[in-house]
Each structure stands twice: as structure tokens, then as C-alpha cells.
Amino acid sequence: MSKRRIKKVAIIGSGIMGSGIACHFANIGVDVLLLDIVPRELNDAEKAKGLTLDNKAVRNRLVNDALAASLKSKPSPIYHQSFAKRITTGNLEDDIAKVAHVDWIMEVVVERLDIKKQVFEKLEKHRTPGTLITSNTSGIPIHFMSEGRSEDFQKHFCGTHFFNPARYLKLFEIIPGPKTSQEVLDFLNGYGEQFLGKTAVIAKDTPAFIGNRIGIFGIQSLFHQVKSLGLTVEEIDKLTGPVIGRPKSATFRTVDVVGLDTLVHVANGIYENCPNDEAHELFKLPDFINKMMENKWLGSKTGQGFYKKEGKDILALDLNTLEYKPSKKASFATLELTKTVDKVIDRFKILVSGKDKAGDFYRKNFAAMFAYVSNRIPEITDELYKIDDAMKAGFGWEHGPFQIWDAIGVEKGIEMMKAEGLQPAAWVSEMLASGSNSFYTVKNGATYFYDIPKKSQEKIPGQDAFIILDNIRKSNEVFKNSGVVIEDLGDGILNCEFQSKMNTIGGDVLAGLNKAIDLAEKDFAGLVIGNQAANFSVGANIGMIFMMAVEQEYDELNAAIKYFQDTMMRMRYSAIPTIAAPHGMTLGGGCELSMHADMVVAAAETYIGLVEFGVGVIPGGGGSKEMALRASDTFKKGDVELNTLQEYFLTIGMAKVATSAYEAFDMGVLQKGKDTVVVNKDRQIATAKAHAKLMADAGYTQPVKRTDVKVLGKQALGMFLVGTDAMEAAHYISEHDQKIANKLAYVMAGGDLSEPTLVSEQYLLDLEREAFLSLCTERKTLERIQHMLKTGKPLRN
């Protein structure tokens, strides 16, 4: 095990990528020195102030402006604005000697070998021997960069390629140079995964490495297919988006966001440097791309690319005429067949057997991709799983090419290739001949891959820190209904995994949650509520609430809300520790559930908040009560208690959503000293299980129900009502917003009690439920719910 500790890093180059990487190191608590060049001339503002080129602010202008722009950008590169204090800026003349005191130097300057070599020359004069030194290049061969450097430099040098944006994309490619030591590679591989929260992949020093080599092939392959299949830009984006587990921006929209020039730069690099690639001609740019480059239609940064916004209208480029026309909604019969298939992996078989243009497209597209990836081994990597890891982590694919090929069937994939005049690499036929009929298998909860030299299924390394629910669901299932699966995680800990659409919480999920507590209290030691879907839970099933409200089934609705509240309270007051593991969108009821667990182990990328105002109600699953309780717990002697309560009231009233788990602490949704954050989501279930076991082993006892919540009564209610009145009068909020806010005020003040009083949680829950129900009788609330169900967007009425 390496003894290295990373306490301080130096990032050389503060462009979008350099600043983004600096922010991500700051995210995980590392001190960062961010350096860039000194400006050659004064700008107008500096001239007006009479500054000279010797002035420190002038000398650090480039780095300071770049970092400031990065911190303002959306989505934010930093988990919490206060973390930016961990970054110190400077320039490459005055501050370069400071690199002697860092543990890792990373170069992120322009993609030009001559400039990179000059930077390394300077750095080597000040670098302390043994310090890690890496380059975040996306394609310059690593062996060229370290030529002529000292033995110690070359031993500690390699490529460490982050994908942009560094906070959000999980791929971290590590590319050894000819003399990189094994200790350095092992260290970076472990550090990338455990501390940076990335999927670390050791790649070979080949053009564009793994992610971009395969990703750019995929895009270029589409560029060449789009015309021959007679498909439009919008149709390709429909076919290559969420339906196949890819991001919403699909293909052309993604190119617009990344910038066509970036893509062309990488494609040209592969075309020039891979003359023996069997798909060499495919990396040649089609005419329409050359024309777009000439016209500077590079995407978002130039205001137009494959798409263009005119007023409120989105126009799409016609690739034949190169004119923009209103974008049309694309639809295909084959896609209709997958509408009822929730799991993306189960759709591929249906898609490739389609009888329309979409079916043709998928057969051609996957055949080309399968042939290409099989032929890249051993050129870019020796292990097939690394290609899948790179595509999932760098391009946001839910499944990598070999996983998709497995889902379609290896034989079927070969048949599709032959129909296109393509051939898989010889090892694929050898694999089938050896008796392995798939690239992956799952045994005892671990994933195995087909190891080509060994001709056998071998365990993928590094899984011991993870619990992969997909792998244990069948073998470790303890209970299942239509809403949840309860799995035994081992060591006496159960996991309750939601299985509903978007993990919404309805009757079946609540029944499953109660069953999980029953089982855990009887035969187990603790319970984790966690899943590995895209989002933890988008909240209560508002469709069900809407139906009951429209039918005026208020008794049933009251019972349903009470069932939700009772389940939350049961989680809090059970005889075993309950740990919630939220990640992604954790909204409304998903947030309420997290707040009622004994502990929250949140992924850093958790977007959590009580958003019920958006659908015209207040939090009704214990969220309004809980915010009143948390306010009461933070009242300090001599405090202006009203101000504290108002903070919690506004968190609900403004439907605030944290953009990272760290922001949720500021909102009082997560609690310091009780809840914790993990940077690598893959480790989340295992970490939550460890905490549950720790609490159980320490002798967990059932908490006593609270009857000491201090509410402020009329005094708080009066203040809130005056506030909402003023907001409505100034047209900041609508009349209906005011009505909802006043109902919330009544709950959080504990009603119109004449003086501050200590009440029970149940007292507040009853007020909350009554307010929720009364809002469900309002026409404007029903309009809001209906609008949200139809469009997915809140209505302001």
C-alpha cells in the first residue's frame, strides 16, 4: 500500500479545465495552488487605474479572472462556494518556486507539445524529487512529453485525463509513460476512485486514449450514417438519447454543448495518428462538418451549431441544405414498443429487431460499434471492461458497448455485423468456442469479465469496496413487492431498494418500507434505504394524490397521508438504526424520508429539497413538522427565535433545492455531526451499511418520542402573515402562493397558541396533515398538480 498523502496540489493552467480540476480538488478538501502566465499587456480597466505590469493584481489577472468565471458558471464546479478558499492563485514567474512544497503537480496548459515541454522544463527546476507530476492532455502522446527529463521525473510522470466538467464526469484516465513506476499508477488508480470519486481507468498511450477514441468513433460513425439513412438531426437525437440510456442531449445537442471544434480537433488527431485503424476513413470529416467549421457554427459558444435558438423557437440544421428549420418532434414505431420497458438494458433486443428506419439505424449503429470495440483490444487496452467503464464514466452511457452486445446476444451481434460486411476480432469467436457465451457473468455478487489471454471469466478487480445491487438482487432477495426489493447486504444489515417509476413513493413503497423495518427488527441489526438508479426519489406519487383529490375521496387521501407520516415516524422510532443513502434528485417525499432516518450517508451529487410548494401543497410526509422541530433544536438562549424559525420556513416556502449535499447542511436538511457525505457514489451503499453496522454494534437503542418541540404560536404566526401579505401586495407571490404559505406558517408556528409552548411531534403532524388536505381541495392546487404531471414543470397560478 502506497504511503503517499495528497495534502496540496499545484494546477498549472487556469482555463476552463484547469479551474474545474482545481475546484474539484478543493471539493474533496485538498489545498490547491493554481498558476497561470503573466499578461503581456494592460487591459483598458488597468490603464484607466494607472496600473503597471509590475502590479500584483495585473500579474495574477489571468488566473484570477479564469477562476472567478469558473466559480460563477452553471452548473457549479464547486460543492460549496466556501470551498473556494482552499484555492490560492499565482503566476508562473513569481510563484513557480512554491511547487517545491506540493505533493502533486498537474499541467493543464494548451494542447501543444512545444508549450507543454517548456512548462515541464521550468517545473523540473523547482519540483522536489518524488513528487507526482502529470498532464491532463486529451490526446498528446505521453512518451513525447517526458522525453529528455530526468530519471526521477519520468518515473513519477504520467497522463491523468479528467473529462470536462471535472466535477460531474466520472472518467479519470491514467496513461503511463515509458518509465512510469507501477507504484505511481497503483496510487493514482486508488486515489482517483476513493478520493476524487472517479472511475479510474488505466489506458495505453494510444491516440485519444480509451474514452475519446471510442466516443469520437461513435459520433463520426453517426455523421456518416445520418445522410445514407435519410434521418434528421432531431431523429438521431431521439434515437440516441434516454431511450438507450444516454444523456438527454444525445448526440448533436451534446456536440453543440462541447463545441464542434473540440470534436474536430480529436477526430483529426485520430485520423492523422491511426493510419492502420480499420475504420480510418470514418474519422475523415464529412462535407457538412467542414462547412459548419468554415461558417463558425461551433454550437452553444457561437450561438448556433446543429441547433439554433431564435426567440423561443428551437431550429434544427437540415444537413442536406445547411439551412435551419423549425425542429420537429421525432417518432418511430420501434420506440413505441419500448415505452413499457423500464430497464434500459432490456430494450436493446427490441430495438435491433425493429422493422422501421429506427430498427435499421440500431442494427447498423451497434454492428459498427461492436466491430470497432472488439478490434481495439489489445491496441488501447487489454481488458474489455475498461472500454465499458470509460464510456459510462466519460460519456454518461448507462451501459458500455460490451454490456449492450451481451444484452442483444453475442451471436446476434456477429450476425448484425456480417449483414453490414463487418467482422468482429478473432478473439470473439475464440471466446464462443471456449464455452463462454457472454462477455460478463455475475457470481456471488461480483462481476466477472472474459479475460482474452486467459480465455476464461476473471473477477473485475477493485469491487470489494462496492456493493452492486444489480449483482445481489436475485440471490440475496428477502422480500419483494411491486414497489421495493429488500436485499440482505450481509453482516445483519438489510437494504430497501425502491423499484417504482422515478422511485416515487406510493402505497406499495410505503408497505415495502414497513416490511423492511419489520424484518430488520425481527432478524437483522440495521436497515439501509438505498438504490443505484439515476435518482434516489423524486417524491410522493402525486398522480395518486391527484386522482383521490379529483374524486374527492378525502377519507382515503387522509389515510394515505397518515400512512406516509406514520411510516416516516416508524423509521425514526424503530428498534434498529435506519440509514438513508440519497443521491441525484431527492425531492419532496424523498427528502422527508432522508430527514427521518437515524443518519444520512449522502452522495456529494445529491440535489435535495422540499419542493411541494411547486405543486400547490406543503410537505405532508413529516417535512413541515421536521423543519419546525429542527428550528426548535437550534434555538439558543438569548436568540431571536423568530429569525431562526423564519430561515426554516423560507427553505420550504422558496422550494429550495441544494445543488450538492454540502449545500444541504446550510438548509438544515442535512445535519452537521450526524450526517455524512461520500464523493464516490459507487461506495455509497457499502458506506451506509458500515455505518448501520457500527451503530448496531455500539448498542443502538430505540429513541424516545419527542414531546419537547418548542413552537412560538401567535407571535410567529403574526410575523409570517404580515410577511406573506407584503409579498403578495408587492406581486412577488400570487394569491394562491400566499394561501399555501399561510397554511405552512400555521403548522410551523404550532397553530395560534397564545404563547410559546412545548408540543409533541404528533401534534405538529396532525396540523401538517390537516393543512395538506385542505390545500388538496383547492382548484388551483389541482391545476398545479395536473400541470406538473403533464409537463414536469411547476405552474405559477
Side-chain angles (χ1 to χ4, degrees), residues 121-140:
E121 176 90 28
K122 275 188 189 166
L123 289 168
E124 188 158 22
K125 293 191 177 108
H126 301 281
R127 169 186 167 268
T128 302
T131 304
L132 294 173
I133 179 147
T134 69
S135 169
N136 180 66
T137 179
S138 57
I140 295 177

Side-chain angles (χ1 to χ4, degrees), residues 85 107 138 191 428 610:
K85 291 204 279 284
E107 166 276 310
S138 57
Y191 188 87
V428 180
L610 297 164

Side-chain angles (χ1 to χ4, degrees), residues 474-603:
K474 282 194 181 74
S475 57
N476 296 29
E477 184 184 299
V478 179
F479 171 85
K480 180 180 184 178
N481 68 11
S482 59
V484 308
V485 177
I486 300 171
E487 300 108 345
D488 181 351
L489 298 179
D491 298 323
I493 308 298
L494 281 182
N495 182 67
C496 180
E497 178 185 14
F498 297 177
Q499 296 266 293
S500 53
K501 197 170 174 68
M502 297 284 282
N503 289 337
T504 50
I505 303 171
D508 45 0
V509 168
L510 293 172
L513 205 44
N514 277 292
K515 180 71 177 174
I517 298 169
D518 288 342
L519 291 165
E521 287 185 329
K522 184 166 168 284
D523 296 319
F524 292 84
L527 174 67
V528 172
I529 299 95
N531 62 67
Q532 289 166 332
N535 298 299
F536 178 71
S537 170
V538 296
N541 181 343
I542 57 170
M544 177 192 78
I545 294 169
F546 181 71
M547 291 312 291
M548 286 182 185
V550 167
E551 301 289 334
Q552 297 185 0
E553 293 170 346
Y554 298 125
D555 288 348
E556 284 91 330
L557 188 50
N558 183 40
I561 300 159
K562 186 161 188 337
Y563 188 32
F564 199 132
Q565 290 183 340
D566 290 349
T567 307
M568 297 303 103
M569 294 299 278
R570 182 134 191 251
M571 266 178 59
R572 169 159 295 170
Y573 294 110
S574 62
I576 41 99
T578 56
I579 312 279
H583 58 87
M585 283 198 282
T586 304
L587 305 175
C591 175
E592 289 174 304
L593 183 148
S594 302
M595 291 168 82
H596 282 84
D598 286 308
M599 180 183 184
V600 179
V601 174

Side-chain angles (χ1 to χ4, degrees), residues 223 233 252-264 287-310 315-325:
F223 284 169
V233 163
F252 290 110
R253 180 81 197 92
T254 300
V255 175
D256 275 355
V257 171
V258 172
L260 185 63
D261 50 341
T262 307
L263 175 101
V264 165
D287 295 342
F288 68 87
I289 297 289
N290 288 323
K291 195 80 196 133
M292 288 173 75
M293 288 292 287
E294 274 171 43
N295 293 350
K296 298 242 183 316
W297 295 350
L298 307 180
S300 310
K301 57 183 160 193
T302 58
Q304 64 192 99
F306 291 104
Y307 293 96
K308 177 183 180 181
K309 206 168 176 194
E310 273 191 4
L315 307 181
L317 189 64
D318 180 324
L319 299 180
N320 295 310
T321 64
L322 286 190
E323 286 167 359
Y324 289 94
K325 55 184 188 1

Side-chain angles (χ1 to χ4, degrees), residues 140-159:
I140 295 177
I142 303 302
H143 57 277
F144 288 159
M145 288 194 232
S146 57
E147 271 173 3
R149 303 262 63 86
S150 70
E151 193 71 24
D152 185 84
F153 186 105
Q154 295 197 40
K155 198 171 119 184
H156 294 94
F157 178 77
C158 65

Side-chain angles (χ1 to χ4, degrees), residues 343-644:
K343 281 203 157 60
V344 171
I345 198 78
D346 299 332
R347 295 176 193 161
F348 294 108
K349 260 192 164 132
I350 303 167
L351 296 174
V352 296
S353 51
K355 303 279 186 281
D356 55 359
K357 245 192 211 182
D360 291 342
F361 167 79
Y362 286 122
R363 285 187 291 277
K364 270 185 188 305
N365 196 315
F366 288 133
M369 179 56 82
F370 298 162
Y372 193 71
V373 293
S374 74
N375 281 310
R376 296 288 68 73
I377 299 172
E379 181 199 347
I380 64 175
T381 176
D382 296 320
E383 294 91 7
L384 62 88
Y385 72 86
K386 288 185 176 172
I387 290 181
D388 282 357
D389 280 354
M391 297 321 294
K392 290 188 291 185
F395 286 80
W397 294 12
E398 203 170 313
H399 306 286
F402 289 105
Q403 289 174 310
I404 296 170
W405 192 348
D406 262 352
I408 289 169
V410 180
E411 303 264 12
K412 174 74 180 160
I414 296 173
E415 192 186 302
M416 281 165 28
M417 282 181 223
K418 290 192 169 148
E420 294 298 320
L422 297 165
Q423 227 26 57
W427 66 263
V428 180
S429 313
E430 284 166 18
M431 176 181 91
L432 292 170
S434 78
S436 273
N437 59 0
S438 65
F439 299 109
Y440 295 101
T441 48
V442 172
K443 283 186 280 203
N444 308 325
T447 309
Y448 288 70
F449 74 104
Y450 178 71
D451 185 309
I452 297 161
K454 291 185 182 160
K455 291 194 169 52
S456 62
Q457 294 277 343
E458 299 291 321
K459 188 175 169 182
I460 295 177
Q463 289 175 75
D464 303 336
F466 304 158
I467 292 173
I468 301 166
L469 295 176
D470 278 349
N471 290 357
I472 64 166
R473 195 174 295 114
K474 282 194 181 74
S475 57
N476 296 29
E477 184 184 299
V478 179
F479 171 85
K480 180 180 184 178
N481 68 11
S482 59
V484 308
V485 177
I486 300 171
E487 300 108 345
D488 181 351
L489 298 179
D491 298 323
I493 308 298
L494 281 182
N495 182 67
C496 180
E497 178 185 14
F498 297 177
Q499 296 266 293
S500 53
K501 197 170 174 68
M502 297 284 282
N503 289 337
T504 50
I505 303 171
D508 45 0
V509 168
L510 293 172
L513 205 44
N514 277 292
K515 180 71 177 174
I517 298 169
D518 288 342
L519 291 165
E521 287 185 329
K522 184 166 168 284
D523 296 319
F524 292 84
L527 174 67
V528 172
I529 299 95
N531 62 67
Q532 289 166 332
N535 298 299
F536 178 71
S537 170
V538 296
N541 181 343
I542 57 170
M544 177 192 78
I545 294 169
F546 181 71
M547 291 312 291
M548 286 182 185
V550 167
E551 301 289 334
Q552 297 185 0
E553 293 170 346
Y554 298 125
D555 288 348
E556 284 91 330
L557 188 50
N558 183 40
I561 300 159
K562 186 161 188 337
Y563 188 32
F564 199 132
Q565 290 183 340
D566 290 349
T567 307
M568 297 303 103
M569 294 299 278
R570 182 134 191 251
M571 266 178 59
R572 169 159 295 170
Y573 294 110
S574 62
I576 41 99
T578 56
I579 312 279
H583 58 87
M585 283 198 282
T586 304
L587 305 175
C591 175
E592 289 174 304
L593 183 148
S594 302
M595 291 168 82
H596 282 84
D598 286 308
M599 180 183 184
V600 179
V601 174
E605 297 300 342
T606 300
Y607 317 119
I608 187 169
L610 297 164
V611 294
E612 286 81 354
F613 260 59
V615 288
V617 290
I618 67 166
S624 304
K625 171 273 302 178
E626 187 59 21
M627 285 310 226
L629 179 146
R630 290 186 179 194
S632 155
D633 284 349
T634 53
F635 291 160
K636 304 253 189 330
K637 214 176 162 171
D639 248 10
V640 182
E641 295 173 341
L642 284 171
N643 292 357
T644 305

